[in-house]
Amino acid sequence: MEAGAKKQILDILQEDCRRSPEQIALMLGLEAEAVKAAIAEMEDERLILKYPALINPEKLGDDTVTAMIDVKVVPQRDLGFDQVAERIYRYPEVRSVFLMSGGYDLSVVIEGRTMKEVALFVAQKLAVLEHVQSTATHFVLKRYKKDGVIYDEKAEDNRLQVSP
């Protein structure tokens, strides 16, 4: 299958990963078996890594604390930032790690049960790592939008206005 068709399949799966290969095939004018084979190939190549559901933790009553941590790192000779990033992303509390441009080197997203738990993670595990120069922690206070989805989108009122 050509790269353009694979990209279209990926776009559809990113929008709604519950779509079946048959639905995707119908949308793109392809054979369902070809779509199944393309998806399996992209999974084998680790182009598709996971099929996540986006959950609104506030509606669930989940009080998990999320923090974004800016980390300044001394790059290692011949390894750059990779080895430090690997040590960080191995912690189960860490949800994401990104190499950044700008005022800091790594952006780390972590989750914990309380702000104290997050602060202890930073103080006892992250800040003490060799080659970590400094950290700045930012706590998420409210989620508005993630992955293109608005959390509390108001239902649009489509009723016609009646004038007296």
Side-chain angles (χ1 to χ4, degrees):
M1 179 173 294
E2 67 182 60
K6 284 185 177 180
K7 174 73 169 99
Q8 289 177 310
I9 293 169
L10 291 171
D11 289 343
I12 292 169
L13 288 173
Q14 280 189 303
E15 182 64 33
D16 184 358
C17 65
R18 296 175 302 164
R19 299 227 181 192
S20 70
E22 291 77 18
Q23 290 172 316
I24 295 170
L26 185 63
M27 293 169 73
L28 299 178
L30 300 170
E31 294 293 324
E33 289 305 316
V35 171
K36 286 179 189 175
I39 291 171
E41 180 181 316
M42 290 185 285
E43 289 170 344
D44 290 344
E45 294 171 348
R46 293 193 45 81
L47 183 59
I48 297 175
L49 299 173
K50 188 176 178 183
Y51 297 92
L54 182 59
I55 297 166
N56 186 339
E58 290 178 18
K59 298 232 185 229
L60 186 63
D62 184 0
D63 291 331
T64 299
V65 175
T66 303
M68 298 177 181
I69 305 162
D70 303 339
V71 182
K72 285 190 180 180
V73 176
V74 176
Q76 294 181 271
R77 185 179 198 148
D78 298 327
L79 298 173
F81 299 99
D82 294 346
Q83 191 170 29
V84 176
E86 182 178 350
R87 289 187 68 194
I88 293 169
Y89 69 62
R90 296 270 179 218
Y91 288 110
E93 300 91 338
V94 174
R95 304 296 294 158
S96 302
V97 178
F98 304 97
L99 179 62
M100 306 297 291
S101 65
Y104 57 96
D105 303 305
L106 298 175
S107 179
V108 180
V109 179
I110 73 163
E111 290 183 349
R113 290 188 308 265
T114 64
M115 290 177 106
K116 182 176 182 176
E117 184 178 280
V118 171
L120 287 173
F121 171 83
V122 174
Q124 295 175 354
K125 294 181 180 176
L126 187 59
V128 297
L129 285 175
E130 187 179 4
H131 305 294
V132 170
Q133 282 185 315
S134 66
T135 63
T137 304
H138 312 276
F139 289 97
V140 174
L141 302 177
K142 183 175 181 177
R143 292 170 178 87
Y144 293 100
K145 184 176 182 177
K146 182 177 179 183
D147 296 335
V149 177
I150 299 170
Y151 276 90
D152 287 323
E153 189 161 26
K154 310 292 185 258
E156 192 174 318
D157 187 354
N158 291 324
R159 296 178 291 176
L160 294 175
Q161 185 174 4
V162 179
S163 7

